[in-house]
Amino acid sequence: MRAVGLHPDVIVVTSRAYATAAVLVRGGDEAFLIDSPVFPDELDVLAAVAAQAEFPVVGLLATHGDWDHLLGGYAFPDAPLGAAESTAARLISEVGTPQRELRAFDEELYVTRPRPLSLPGAQQLPVPGHVDVGSRELELHPAEGHTVDGMALWAPWAGVLIAGDYLSPVEIPMISEGGSASAYLATLARLEPLVAQAAHVVPGHGGAIEGERALAILREDRAYLEALLERGAGAPLPLARRTGAQRAIHAKNAERVSRH
Ligand SMILES: [Zn+2]
């Protein structure tokens, strides 16, 4: 796991699994953990990093309801979880799904955990809206299309956008079950002015990148999605993201788009 300070109040850690990003954000004497790393040793180190850097974590936030972003409770068992209303609703309608998917991952890789994943109901946050972190305020923006739910978080004092599963340098836009290419395009349009003024963007997978690079990725992703809607499986993939794994994601995207 890598830990990188983007700002005195922002630390990003990147998991060895799927390069999933988690972000510690501090405002004065309170901090939040946004999303999570995946492996147990990473979750242990994360708690130590937060303590050492004096980020007193009082709450967990999730950009969306996919299991690999929901593991923060292993690092901070007493911190309540907050999420967009769309995510809180999804966690209720898909109760047990994150636990099942985590178990499948752990069985595949022979990972053991100290206890089963506990996900007490998420507190619903107003999106679009704000949430206070100590003396600062995080802006919450709807970010749907990858999945049916989600939000992006903008830390204006740090110039950092925590995007959720958008703008990844390693993963093409993924339209999951419940996601939608047109909603994804709308999210990109919504995020564009924030990306344009961001010093750093933290996508859900692939580690933090500079704003300028994120803007280039945003344009590539838009071109890919527009082609996907027009040409389905014939759409060309972004140049730097044409691995076998990305082609498999593309094949699923094409199937989902053709069904709508
Ligand atoms: Zn993800």
Side-chain angles (χ1 to χ4, degrees), residues 64 66 68-69 146 165 205:
H64 61 297
D66 283 351
D68 52 324
H69 302 261
H146 161 57
D165 280 9
H205 302 276

Side-chain angles (χ1 to χ4, degrees), residues 63 84 86 126-129 139-154 161-167 180-198 201 214-215 218-219 221-222 225-226:
T63 57
S86 56
V127 181
E139 282 178 26
L140 311 176
H141 298 269
E144 293 148 7
H146 161 57
T147 53
V148 71
D149 66 308
M151 65 177 177
L153 300 97
W154 170 240
L161 176 69
I162 297 113
D165 280 9
Y166 302 86
L167 307 172
S180 127
S182 52
Y184 202 119
L185 280 165
T187 290
L188 292 181
R190 209 176 296 122
L191 296 185
E192 192 166 22
L194 297 171
V195 175
Q197 54 182 305
V201 172
L215 202 52
L218 188 149
R219 291 180 181 135
D221 287 356
R222 175 181 287 147
L225 289 163
E226 285 171 349

